[in-house]
Amino acid sequence: MKTRENAIEMSNAEFRKIGYQLIDTLSDFFDEIPNKPVTTTKTPLELQQILGASSLPENGLPAEELLASTTKLLLDNSLFNGHPKFFGYITSSAAPIGALADLLAASVNQNVGAQILSPIATEIEKQTIKWLSEFIGVSPNYGGVLVSGGNMANFTAFLAARTAKAPKDIKENGLSNSSKQLVTYCSKSTHTWIDKAAILFGHGSKSVRWIPTDASNKMNITLLEQSIKEDIQQGHQPFMVVGTAGDVSTGIVDNLEAIAATCKTFDLWFHIDGAYGIPAAIIPELKAMFHGIQEADSIALDPHKWLYSPLEAGCTLVKNPKHLIDTYSSHPEYYNFSLSEEGESLNYFEYGLQNSRGFRALKVWLALQQIGSNGYTKLIREDIELAKYFYTLADHHEALKPISQNLSITTLRYIPTDIKGDNENNAAYLNTLNEKLLNELQKGGELFLSNAIIADQYCLRTCIVNFRTTKKDIEESIKIIVKEGQKIHQMLQS
């Protein structure tokens, strides 16, 4: 028998026909995104009814029929973060070349866990890491690994920091046999990943010191150093400080240079959570904002945020990649993954938590080449200018109050014109109003924002990491916010 008969294989002609049909449909979809709702208005129950409740089919269905119906299902019932009026959270519009890269990567299906399993894919990932390091302005000698996103990028660095700074017997004896509590420091605006890391990796949430921020909402360096000294006096072991390069609520960048100096003074691991904001380091006029990143022992960044990569694509960069090997390397007898002595080859299973790994680097690598550093500089600068434009229009509107603007994030509040000021007397009502307004905007499909809590104020938050957004979209969004805000205010007052 030369070939096996099965339902999974496709003939050359069938694969080509279905593939062409899908590419044609997606090409039209990219053109039509601005004319579609940002998200579906159907409820979970309605979506469940569309899917139906049938059991797993015993016999297969034709691939052409399945792909056509599934394409329609997704294009009719999804949230489109590629929509020019999607400003929620930090998920960028994805570069089309990334979609083609994922198709190519899935077709070749490399396991980028070991060099022998992924010869050229490993080299492409190494080059991608080098280019990402150059992109943000640190040494191209940083090593690193592509992961799923910000949580995993930060987790990967957290464990490397622990291995580097904790007692050397921790790998054999664990945390429970350590006489000192390992302590981490971060600002109060740090993403929740740090809490998850402390809990999941056995430190406990009380091991995290949430340092208050100063008047500019950056980590207070004086209070940081004071907290470190107090912990040392109490017999604890500080091991890591996290600086944020673009916090998720307002886009603030900590004083990274000062944090680096503090880490050097106390011999602590300096980690930067730059998952969102650190690509802005490529902008010449913002270089000063990111002074200190060259001192970081590790950096997290997410290409699927501000480098316009399709999900999933996060990245951990480490100044000395040996720290990753010290943390993650394992050599059971059933691993026959020897390395060539030429060309500094590596096995990526020694750099992170995964053994089996998809070829995430390909879509990032291709986009970096297609767009280039100059192209990214232009796009990121334009996103920032559009966020500033959002702030300016809100500032000039009698029913809107801009609250903050940093990088490509602007926060604002809707304040009805018949309410006299945003003060303590009106605080509770305005918080309720803006929360209801956000919920209605998210459900309505015209515009998608998220929220931020700033000084106990519930704010509407716009984050622009979207190459499709234009000034016209910002102008229309202002009108949508005010129109919907008026409706909700009237409803609450009636």
Side-chain angles (χ1 to χ4, degrees):
M1 183 173 63
K2 292 184 178 179
T3 60
R4 294 165 57 186
E5 290 188 11
N6 56 63
I8 199 169
E9 186 62 274
M10 287 189 190
S11 69
N12 182 294
E14 183 183 18
F15 187 85
R16 178 179 285 110
K17 177 185 177 184
I18 296 173
Y20 283 172
Q21 289 173 346
L22 178 61
I23 293 297
D24 285 344
T25 302
L26 293 179
S27 298
D28 292 339
F29 164 68
F30 288 143
D31 279 344
E32 294 166 2
I33 286 179
N35 303 319
K36 289 179 171 287
V38 180
T39 188
T40 179
T41 57
K42 299 184 181 76
T43 66
L45 181 59
E46 289 173 317
L47 294 172
Q48 291 160 22
Q49 290 170 344
I50 291 171
L51 275 181
S54 60
S55 299
L56 174 69
E58 292 184 3
N59 298 310
L61 297 171
E64 182 176 1
E65 175 186 323
L66 281 171
L67 204 56
S69 62
T70 303
T71 301
K72 178 172 172 45
L73 186 70
L74 288 175
L75 298 187
D76 289 349
N77 300 288
S78 292
L79 177 144
F80 301 124
N81 46 46
H83 193 287
K85 291 190 181 70
F86 177 83
F87 310 127
Y89 308 106
I90 314 175
T91 308
S92 67
S93 51
I97 198 170
L100 296 173
D102 271 346
L103 173 61
L104 177 57
S107 300
V108 181
N109 198 33
Q110 299 287 274
N111 179 352
V112 198
Q115 194 274 340
I116 196 172
L117 302 178
S118 53
I120 192 62
T122 294
E123 297 306 320
I124 287 173
E125 182 154 349
K126 283 170 58 180
Q127 189 170 68
T128 302
I129 294 295
K130 177 178 179 288
W131 286 351
L132 289 173
S133 300
E134 292 174 347
F135 188 107
I136 64 173
V138 300
S139 168
N141 293 324
Y142 271 64
V145 61
L146 272 292
V147 295
S148 59
N151 272 3
M152 290 306 300
N154 286 301
F155 288 173
T156 302
F158 182 95
L159 292 174
R162 187 176 75 179
T163 301
K165 297 298 183 180
K168 297 306 176 187
D169 66 349
I170 192 170
K171 292 182 82 170
E172 292 78 22
N173 297 322
L175 288 175
S176 60
N177 290 301
S178 176
S179 60
K180 295 183 177 183
Q181 182 185 44
L182 294 170
V183 182
T184 309
Y185 304 84
C186 62
S187 87
K188 69 177 183 65
S189 61
T190 302
H191 188 274
T192 189
W193 73 262
I194 188 66
D195 234 357
K196 292 169 69 175
I199 293 167
L200 292 172
F201 301 135
H203 296 250
S205 59
K206 290 183 179 179
S207 71
V208 180
R209 305 290 185 259
W210 298 89
I211 306 301
T213 52
D214 58 22
S216 62
N217 210 34
K218 299 179 180 182
M219 185 192 293
N220 188 309
I221 304 301
T222 300
L223 295 179
L224 168 64
E225 295 183 351
Q226 180 181 317
S227 182
I228 293 170
K229 291 174 182 176
E230 289 173 356
D231 279 321
I232 292 172
Q233 289 171 357
Q234 292 174 19
H236 301 316
Q237 182 173 347
F239 80 100
M240 178 184 188
V241 181
V242 179
T244 298
D247 85 79
V248 295
S249 291
T250 65
I252 282 288
V253 176
D254 280 331
N255 186 337
L256 304 176
E257 197 168 26
I259 296 173
T262 299
C263 288
K264 190 168 292 186
T265 298
F266 293 96
D267 190 27
L268 306 181
W269 184 280
F270 176 29
H271 174 65
I272 296 177
D273 178 1
Y276 153 56
I278 209 160
I282 200 173
I283 307 295
E285 58 267 30
L286 298 183
K287 289 290 185 186
M289 184 184 294
F290 295 93
H291 279 171
I293 62 174
Q294 299 87 352
E295 303 301 320
D297 294 294
S298 58
I299 301 169
L301 68 138
D302 281 2
H304 68 218
K305 287 187 168 68
W306 219 352
L307 297 183
Y308 315 103
S309 173
L311 293 159
E312 303 167 345
C315 178
T316 306
L317 300 176
V318 178
K319 179 177 283 188
N320 181 357
K322 184 178 181 297
H323 290 303
L324 293 175
I325 294 174
D326 290 344
T327 304
Y328 297 105
S329 183
S330 176
H331 291 276
E333 62 184 15
Y334 48 84
Y335 277 12
N336 182 28
F337 298 142
S338 59
L339 294 172
S340 165
E341 294 181 2
E342 296 183 19
E344 299 181 1
S345 57
L346 61 84
N347 290 324
Y348 270 109
F349 76 84
E350 298 189 280
Y351 270 46
L353 290 161
Q354 287 181 274
N355 283 352
S356 299
R357 303 176 63 249
F359 192 9
R360 294 189 184 96
L362 185 62
K363 56 194 170 190
V364 182
W365 184 74
L366 284 171
L368 287 170
Q369 293 178 87
Q370 183 201 15
I371 301 167
S373 60
N374 288 339
Y376 273 111
T377 299
K378 177 178 181 292
L379 286 171
I380 292 171
R381 183 184 281 126
E382 287 172 352
D383 285 344
I384 293 170
E385 291 303 317
L386 286 168
K388 290 178 179 178
Y389 188 53
F390 218 129
Y391 184 100
T392 299
L393 292 184
D395 195 31
H396 290 141
H397 199 289
E398 60 180 357
L400 296 174
K401 177 184 177 182
I403 303 298
S404 68
Q405 199 288 308
N406 298 286
L407 297 182
S408 67
I409 294 177
T410 290
T411 62
L412 63 150
R413 280 168 52 97
Y414 171 71
I415 302 176
T417 54
D418 60 349
I419 289 184
K420 304 301 180 184
D422 191 357
N423 52 47
E424 290 184 9
N425 296 329
N426 303 318
Y429 176 75
L430 289 176
N431 282 349
T432 298
L433 172 59
N434 278 273
E435 184 173 4
K436 288 184 178 296
L437 172 55
L438 177 74
N439 291 337
E440 289 305 312
L441 289 171
Q442 288 188 344
K443 291 188 297 185
E446 290 185 284
L447 168 70
F448 199 97
L449 308 176
S450 58
N451 73 288
I453 308 297
I454 302 174
D456 297 323
Q457 299 177 107
Y458 193 98
C459 302
L460 307 177
R461 172 188 168 283
T462 70
C463 180
I464 301 173
V465 285
N466 194 326
F467 59 83
R468 292 189 176 95
T469 301
T470 66
K471 281 190 170 184
K472 180 172 179 286
D473 294 302
I474 305 299
E475 293 159 2
E476 291 173 352
S477 295
I478 290 287
K479 293 177 182 177
I480 293 167
I481 291 168
V482 173
K483 177 191 69 175
E484 195 63 37
Q486 290 171 340
K487 284 169 53 180
I488 295 170
H489 177 52
Q490 290 171 2
M491 180 190 70
L492 291 175
Q493 294 293 302
S494 61

